[in-house]
Amino acid sequence: MSEQSDNRAGGGWSRRGVLSAAAAGAGAVAAVGAGAPSAHADGRRRGAPTFVLVHGSGSNSYGWSPVLAELGLRGHRTIAVDLPGHGAGACFPLSYQSPQDLDRLATEPSPIGGVTLADFAEHVVGVVRAAHRNGPVVLVGQSLGGATLNAVANRVPELIAHLVYASAFCPTRHTSVNDLMATPEGATSALFEIPPVRTPPELGVNRVNWRSADPVFFAAVKEALAADRTDTEVRALLATLEPDESAAIGSADSRGLADRWGRVPRTFLRFTEDRSIPLALQDLMIREADGTTPRNRFRVRSVPAPHVGPRDAAVWGDELERVAESSRQG
């Protein structure tokens, strides 16, 4: 690891379905009523970066609201994307509504079952191309969003000034996110303790009933995603999440390619209290990526935060401003 931060701020599950619980909240607990999908400062400042933020499984652009607000107030151009099948395009099955029909919830189809990693990459590449017209692009991903970062950087490395993995998946030596979760380093993930909705494989979705009133479910989710938050804050977080994620994302070949992805400078924000992507798994991904491109190693920053990220959006702001400064210097 090339650098470590001394930042002190902040405070019965199948492996097939585990990734639907890896919701990249990006501080979503604090996001309630806190922002919009984009924040613009002086849009004509050539040379100043645009931050493009990519959410994780079961989340959406709203999860980045506190970070958008923080960066906007600091004068940065920032946009958070909704990946295909998320945000305004999300599917909330009728059986997911109140009163819930749990039997039907296990079988009700969802259009996101046909969405692929290539679809995610194509969408984000379009955003990156548009943002690049204003200057350098810093592409940031959290949790499952890291697979999309790899796919985008494999396609358009010349358009990306820096990649930031916020406790995000970064396969290089392992083929997919599922392969990484099957390692000994991933075996201790608290995601495996979250009771799933057991959908048939042909639906192509990983489904989580975030509206469950089961106290066992709630305790498992809090442990996995946001153990440092109050119960009230965790319930607010769950209200922002979407039940379905495409199962194809976790199984797709999402390796960063040395001659494409490997050309882009990168930072890993290492969340030391993350119980969904255990610290040992984060460190494995960093080691394997650095071994893939030894002349372009991760810049590593350690942040005391659970899976949803730092409670204080200023911590996000400080870390991303460091990235922007390093990009200008590079």
Side-chain angles (χ1 to χ4, degrees):
M1 299 179 192
S2 54
E3 180 181 350
Q4 291 289 341
S5 167
D6 61 356
N7 188 345
R8 295 179 178 82
W13 179 244
S14 71
R15 290 183 183 269
R16 181 183 71 82
V18 67
L19 290 171
S20 57
V29 171
V32 178
S38 63
H40 296 276
D42 181 0
R44 300 186 183 277
R45 291 180 303 152
R46 298 293 301 180
T50 299
F51 294 97
V52 177
L53 312 179
V54 180
H55 63 78
S57 176
S59 192
N60 47 58
S61 62
Y62 182 73
W64 288 107
S65 293
V67 182
L68 287 166
E70 180 70 21
L71 291 173
L73 290 171
R74 294 184 185 209
H76 297 288
R77 287 189 299 260
T78 313
I79 184 166
V81 301
D82 281 313
L83 294 171
H86 293 274
C91 174
F92 292 84
L94 288 176
S95 55
Y96 187 66
Q97 311 306 319
S98 180
Q100 291 191 318
D101 183 340
L102 297 183
D103 290 336
R104 185 179 175 190
L105 185 61
T107 59
E108 189 168 351
S110 170
I112 202 171
V115 174
T116 66
L117 182 60
D119 296 325
F120 280 10
E122 181 177 4
H123 179 73
V124 177
V125 165
V127 175
V128 168
R129 288 191 189 280
H132 189 260
R133 294 197 292 263
N134 295 319
V137 174
V138 174
L139 187 59
V140 184
Q142 191 175 9
S143 190
L144 190 61
T148 299
L149 261 61
N150 280 16
V152 172
N154 283 342
R155 289 182 57 176
V156 289
E158 69 281 0
L159 300 184
I160 305 168
H162 207 101
L163 294 164
V164 180
Y165 294 78
S167 194
F169 289 102
C170 182
T172 51
R173 302 290 178 84
H174 288 80
T175 301
S176 68
V177 172
N178 287 353
D179 288 344
L180 283 166
M181 289 297 286
T183 62
E185 290 82 358
T188 61
S189 172
L191 293 175
F192 294 124
E193 303 302 319
I194 298 177
V197 176
R198 299 189 182 280
T199 57
E202 56 267 24
L203 289 188
V205 300
N206 293 326
R207 180 168 289 166
V208 178
N209 182 10
W210 302 114
R211 296 176 179 171
S212 172
D214 181 359
V216 174
F217 172 86
F218 182 83
V221 168
K222 181 175 179 178
E223 173 72 11
L225 302 183
D228 68 336
R229 308 311 206 251
T230 66
D231 287 359
T232 298
E233 289 172 320
V234 173
R235 290 189 183 97
L237 165 64
L238 299 186
T240 72
L241 299 182
E242 301 166 3
D244 292 344
E245 186 58 78
S246 169
I249 309 304
S251 60
D253 186 338
S254 51
R255 287 173 290 182
L257 303 178
D259 61 340
R260 305 288 294 171
W261 159 90
R263 291 158 42 189
V264 185
R266 59 182 186 261
T267 290
F268 199 101
L269 298 183
R270 184 174 175 268
F271 291 174
T272 61
E273 297 169 9
D274 193 338
R275 297 170 189 174
S276 291
I277 305 180
L279 199 56
L281 181 54
Q282 295 177 57
D283 290 342
L284 174 67
M285 291 187 288
I286 294 167
R287 289 195 306 272
E288 291 186 342
D290 288 351
T292 300
T293 57
R295 295 185 179 180
N296 180 26
R297 300 169 65 84
F298 265 116
R299 173 182 175 271
V300 179
R301 300 282 298 176
S302 292
V303 180
H307 190 64
V308 294
R311 176 191 292 272
D312 185 357
V315 177
W316 283 102
D318 290 346
E319 294 299 336
L320 293 178
E321 281 192 331
R322 287 188 179 96
V323 169
E325 182 60 29
S326 69
S327 297
R328 283 192 289 267
Q329 292 173 352

